[in-house]
Amino acid sequence: MPRTGMAPTSRVPSPTTLSPEPPSRIQRLRPTWARFPAAPRAPRPTARPIVPGSRHDRPATGVDPMMKRPRAPWLGFTLVEVLVAVTILSLALLAFLSAIVASGRSAAKGDYYILAARAAGDRLAAVRAGGYAALSDGATEYTVSGLPGGRMRVTVGPLDGSAAYTDIRQVDVRVTWDSPTPGEPALAGEVRASTLAARPR
């Protein structure tokens, strides 16, 4: 029996009864998008019907029913691809061989210059060793061995061609050679050297 003088009270549920049920460990690990049902996917388009006699209507044996003969397999290279590859390879080999020939030509010309410079240096050394008394005005021709058509011309005369310097003689040495191949004039060349000889006092 309720007490007199007091308003009736209603029973208030505890906070624990109002809170939702905590998610399980598996639900907490699942991503958010996995907690909802996936949207229905659109159906895949159906394949086109195969028309009898078309290029798609071929048996697995590789025989074309329209041509009535074996069909060439799509393996390897076509003739056009082979021709293009051979052309590119030929151009590359041609450029490589041209570079090798040019390198050999430059090396040969360098050897000729070395031989000519050595011959001119030896002649000037002989002139210096002989001194002024052994010189006589004029030009003398020599043959240089080791050079194709090698020739040496030694010219003795007054300094700069002037008769004012009677006690000084100028010796000019010029070594020339020809190309070993008639069709390659670039291999020919020349080397010049000079020295002075004075009369001793």
Side-chain angles (χ1 to χ4, degrees), residues 21-101:
E21 183 180 356
S24 62
R25 185 172 180 272
I26 298 178
Q27 292 179 351
R28 289 197 304 269
L29 295 178
R30 294 176 62 187
T32 306
W33 58 268
R35 301 177 187 176
F36 301 95
R41 296 183 179 180
R44 293 185 177 181
T46 58
R48 294 182 179 179
I50 298 177
V51 180
S54 63
R55 62 185 182 90
H56 300 286
D57 186 19
R58 291 176 179 174
T61 56
V63 179
D64 194 342
M66 297 184 65
M67 302 301 294
K68 301 301 181 182
R69 61 183 179 86
R71 181 172 56 90
W74 296 101
L75 299 176
F77 302 96
T78 61
L79 181 60
V80 176
E81 293 174 346
V82 172
L83 292 178
V84 171
V86 170
T87 303
I88 295 175
L89 183 60
S90 302
L91 294 177
L93 290 178
L94 182 61
F96 181 70
L97 293 178
S98 300
I100 292 178
V101 172

Side-chain angles (χ1 to χ4, degrees), residues 158-167 169:
L159 179 62
D160 294 334
S162 175
Y165 303 98
T166 57
D167 296 338
R169 285 292 178 267

Side-chain angles (χ1 to χ4, degrees), residues 150-168:
R151 300 173 301 276
M152 179 188 297
R153 182 181 179 87
V154 181
T155 305
V156 181
L159 179 62
D160 294 334
S162 175
Y165 303 98
T166 57
D167 296 338
I168 300 177

Side-chain angles (χ1 to χ4, degrees), residues 8 18 24 43 60 90 95 102 112 114-115 127 129-130 134 141 152 162 173 185 189 193:
L18 296 179
S24 62
S90 302
Y112 294 155
I114 292 175
L115 292 176
V127 169
E141 295 282 345
M152 179 188 297
S162 175
V173 179

